[in-house]
Amino acid sequence: MPGVFITATSKNIGKTVLTTCLTYALNKKGIDTVPYKPVQCGAIQKDGSWVSPDAEVYRNVYQPRNEEEINTYLYKPRFSPHLAAQLANDPINPKKILSNYEKLEQDHDFVLVEGPGGLAVPLIDEHYGNAELVKDLNLPLFVVASAEVGTLNHTVMTVSYARSKHIDVQGIILNQYPEHPSEGIQENPVMLEKMTGVPVIGMVPHVDDIETKLKDKAVLDIMTENIDVDYIANESNS
């Protein structure tokens, strides 16, 4: 079971938090799982060094082994990767990402690859972006989407774009599901499945200040109890 690729319908959907929570849930099931962020824009300083903020979130549940790389390309500007790479004079080489992924795959049962931004984000130019990386990695695709109003449009467009690139979306996870959802929000999972033909495999509750609580196993259990984690693990074999 090599792994899966996780994308989102837009920014601030909670893709990194979900990747962290899934890392916890899969490891809890006895599946040796590593989170991997191939490209990170928007580096932060920690102890005098520039680090990946998403990889720092992962560290709530996963500590890299020795010199293990869970982030390959790191850029300071919070720009689209293609532009951040140009400004840094450090172009993204997909072969380097594939090599790093293969090392992680050899050392672990499962790799959760979190793409930067949404599926249509360019990594090199208009011809090579996240969609092309998904195809090069040959991984199943899962989409993290908002549970709120607007998700039908954003999610259907993401799935349609994936299919235009000959990528099959294997599942949708709705994040930040409110404790008291409106009728419209309750209808969203049903309509998403009808419109896309893709199963909604999880609905994750809204938790205030979630990034500050990711070391709490009780919170992690709440975040993942309504996600079909077995489905995610099994789809990597299909």
Side-chain angles (χ1 to χ4, degrees):
M1 53 175 71
V4 299
F5 195 102
I6 300 173
T7 192
T9 55
S10 184
K11 62 183 293 187
N12 299 324
I13 298 296
K15 176 164 49 75
T16 299
V17 167
L18 261 294
T19 300
T20 303
C21 292
L22 289 172
T23 300
Y24 164 81
L26 287 160
N27 277 303
K28 185 179 178 181
K29 282 183 170 289
I31 301 171
D32 180 10
T33 302
V34 56
Y36 174 43
K37 183 81 175 189
V39 181
Q40 173 82 74
C41 300
I44 59 172
Q45 278 202 307
K46 181 180 179 182
D47 300 328
S49 299
W50 291 98
V51 299
S52 160
D54 291 358
E56 289 300 299
V57 176
Y58 300 159
R59 287 176 185 271
N60 284 286
V61 302
Y62 182 84
Q63 292 299 319
R65 304 172 184 176
N66 300 320
E67 298 301 316
E68 183 175 65
E69 289 188 47
I70 59 173
N71 169 234
T72 303
Y73 288 99
L74 178 65
Y75 303 110
K76 295 178 185 179
R78 199 173 184 84
F79 298 158
S80 173
H82 79 285
L83 178 58
Q86 289 175 20
L87 294 174
N89 196 27
D90 182 17
I92 293 170
N93 182 349
K95 291 182 179 179
K96 185 176 180 180
I97 293 174
L98 292 174
S99 176
N100 198 357
Y101 170 82
E102 287 169 0
K103 290 177 184 176
L104 294 173
E105 183 186 12
Q106 290 169 5
D107 293 338
H108 298 272
D109 297 333
F110 202 81
V111 186
L112 290 171
V113 182
E114 181 194 350
L119 190 62
V121 167
L123 300 180
I124 298 175
D125 52 25
E126 69 274 22
H127 302 297
Y128 195 99
N130 275 326
E132 286 68 31
L133 180 59
V134 173
K135 294 177 71 173
D136 282 347
L137 289 168
N138 193 29
L139 292 176
L141 181 68
F142 287 81
V143 176
V144 179
S146 169
E148 298 287 347
V149 174
T151 196
L152 297 179
N153 183 58
H154 295 159
T155 308
V156 170
M157 286 197 299
T158 296
V159 173
S160 295
Y161 181 78
R163 287 175 175 158
S164 76
K165 295 288 186 175
H166 308 290
I167 297 170
D168 288 329
V169 181
Q170 299 299 323
I172 297 167
I173 300 174
L174 294 180
N175 194 25
Q176 300 175 351
Y177 199 84
E179 184 177 359
H180 302 291
S182 66
E183 286 186 53
I185 290 176
Q186 292 178 55
E187 171 71 7
N188 280 341
V190 176
M191 186 54 67
L192 277 174
E193 290 189 344
K194 289 179 178 178
M195 294 179 73
T196 65
V198 177
V200 175
I201 63 160
M203 290 187 285
V204 181
H206 172 80
V207 176
D208 290 336
D209 302 318
I210 181 60
E211 286 195 15
T212 67
K213 301 173 183 177
L214 288 175
K215 289 187 181 297
D216 188 334
K217 291 183 178 180
V219 172
L220 290 165
D221 287 334
I222 290 171
M223 292 287 287
T224 55
E225 64 183 353
N226 291 319
I227 302 175
D228 191 343
V229 178
D230 290 330
Y231 177 89
I232 294 172
N234 291 334
E235 278 303 305
S236 68
N237 289 319
S238 61

